[in-house]
Amino acid sequence: MNIKKRRLGKWLLLAVLLYCLLTAVILQFTDSHLILYFCPYSVLFNSSFLAPCFGWLMYVFALPPLAGWLLLLWDKSPGKLLVSVPFVVLIALNVLITAMYLILSLGSWSPGLLQHSLLTGFVSLLASVPALVMLHLWKPKI
């Protein structure tokens, strides 16, 4: 049973990482704002001080976890840090930026801004938390 959980964790983690990269690439090359509600890194787009460098910032968060997954596949210990650190930082930025927009939207009574910030924050958590859980299922002791 333990081997099945580890194998499931490995492949589900890869699926989450590829989903994050795929949505980042799609968001980079489309003008549709609908994809913002599917990309885990769109919470970074909400912040005005991160918006000018948003294009390459998504790849800073998306590519190291894939490299870390490959290192973990070859049983190298720095791989776990390469996977977990970007997602922990993304969760922290998500909490900070969503709280900032929550205060801003409640202060100016803007329900559209509140809805947008909560949806993009929720999507970010839907990718970050499962990725960390799948990482723990795959390599619990590294």
Side-chain angles (χ1 to χ4, degrees), residues 62-90:
L63 292 177
L66 282 170
W69 188 88
L70 286 174
L71 286 175
L72 283 173
L73 193 62
W74 297 321
D75 290 327
K76 304 293 183 194
S77 63
K80 191 165 185 177
L81 283 176
L82 282 174
V83 174
S84 63
V85 168
F87 284 113
V88 170
V89 170
L90 185 64

Side-chain angles (χ1 to χ4, degrees), residues 92-104:
L93 284 173
N94 181 14
V95 169
L96 178 73
I97 293 169
T98 303
M100 180 181 66
Y101 272 92
L102 180 69
I103 292 168
L104 180 69

Side-chain angles (χ1 to χ4, degrees), residues 89-128:
V89 170
L90 185 64
I91 289 171
L93 284 173
N94 181 14
V95 169
L96 178 73
I97 293 169
T98 303
M100 180 181 66
Y101 272 92
L102 180 69
I103 292 168
L104 180 69
S105 64
L106 289 177
S108 64
W109 190 245
S110 175
L113 183 63
L114 177 66
Q115 178 187 8
H116 176 74
S117 64
L118 289 177
L119 282 175
T120 55
F122 183 68
V123 168
S124 177
L125 288 178
L126 277 179
S128 303

